[in-house]
Amino acid sequence: MRKFVPLLVLTAALSGCMTVTVSSNQFVPRDAHKLALLKTRAPTYQLRDLEFVQADGSVSRGVYFSQPKAEATVFYLLGSGVRLDASGAFFLTPFADMNLNVIAFDYRSFGRSDATTAKHGLKEIETDTLVLYDYARGLVQGRLIVHGHSFGSFVAANLAEQRPLDGVVLEGTGTDPKTYAQNLTPWFAKPFVSYKLDGDVAQVDNRRSLQNIQFPILIIAGKRDTTTPEATARVLFDELKQSKKSFISVDAGHMDAMLFPETKAAYGAFLSEVTSAK
């Protein structure tokens, strides 16, 4: 049973008598943003399935969301726990609004993608992403922008350190995993919590990954984002040495910054910067 039913009962007990209406709609799942909805949300676009076999035999599967007259293509790196089939329409539709194509893959052993080994940590995802970017680069003529959201922004920063990109966009981003974990800890618990960074996570720092890039970068933050707060994204931005950098903050949470007109306007200006830098 879902949590809201006991919550409503508790509320009723505390506030006096009330009637709680229970229907099947509260229990039957529905994907409100599933990938198939792109057919109606972006009817001029074609959706092509992609499949790439990694060196260890793992299979990365994704989509190429495109139309012939698009201005550029985005290599989109999803946030943690986001699957293309369940949420693809939500995350890809804003790019269609801006006349941009998108290539995106589910991470290994998740969603559409499979893995031949039990290993599916950050190191494996970063290795997969390098090869997938090269594969995408071979598919695309013209500009290819790397856009990472949340967890994907850390993967994007690692990619930016190892490839000469046309440009990179970090949305809902931060500096390092320790700060990310601290942001998720309630204020009243912080005095009692210590943080141990284990394995490959201990080496992650977006400031270090991006310190020598020479291509344009755009950082997108949400003023209501409590997962990767605006202030953390601003710290990252301020420490970047790159002169061709821009920052946009909108009245968004962690997931919806790309829905705002101000964000799309900033994206357009960023694309112009990418063009002038070539």
Side-chain angles (χ1 to χ4, degrees), residues 75-138:
F75 182 68
Y76 188 80
L77 296 165
L78 298 161
S80 177
V82 177
R83 300 189 311 277
L84 280 170
D85 283 325
S87 304
F90 180 83
F91 289 102
L92 301 193
T93 298
F95 296 104
D97 295 340
M98 296 185 290
N99 193 32
L100 298 172
N101 293 342
V102 185
I103 293 175
F105 288 87
D106 281 326
Y107 296 120
R108 64 164 47 210
S109 196
F110 191 72
R112 296 180 169 202
S113 298
D114 297 318
T116 56
T117 69
K119 294 182 177 180
H120 60 280
L122 180 60
K123 180 180 179 181
E124 286 73 31
I125 288 175
E126 289 178 340
T127 300
D128 289 350
T129 300
L130 286 171
V131 180
L132 291 173
Y133 171 80
D134 293 339
Y135 170 65
R137 181 70 275 181

Side-chain angles (χ1 to χ4, degrees), residues 24-98:
S24 62
N25 291 336
Q26 296 165 331
F27 304 97
V28 178
R30 182 174 69 95
D31 287 328
H33 303 290
K34 63 181 181 179
L35 192 66
L37 294 174
L38 286 173
K39 294 178 181 178
T40 55
R41 296 185 185 181
T44 63
Y45 276 71
Q46 299 295 315
L47 196 62
R48 168 186 166 193
D49 290 334
L50 298 177
E51 181 173 298
F52 185 89
V53 180
Q54 300 285 349
D56 67 353
S58 297
V59 182
S60 298
R61 296 186 179 91
V63 296
Y64 192 172
F65 178 57
S66 65
Q67 62 145 324
K69 296 182 179 180
E71 184 177 348
T73 301
V74 173
F75 182 68
Y76 188 80
L77 296 165
L78 298 161
S80 177
V82 177
R83 300 189 311 277
L84 280 170
D85 283 325
S87 304
F90 180 83
F91 289 102
L92 301 193
T93 298
F95 296 104
D97 295 340
M98 296 185 290

Side-chain angles (χ1 to χ4, degrees), residues 147-159:
H147 182 132
H149 172 246
S150 191
F151 168 79
S153 72
F154 289 87
V155 182
N158 176 75
L159 177 59

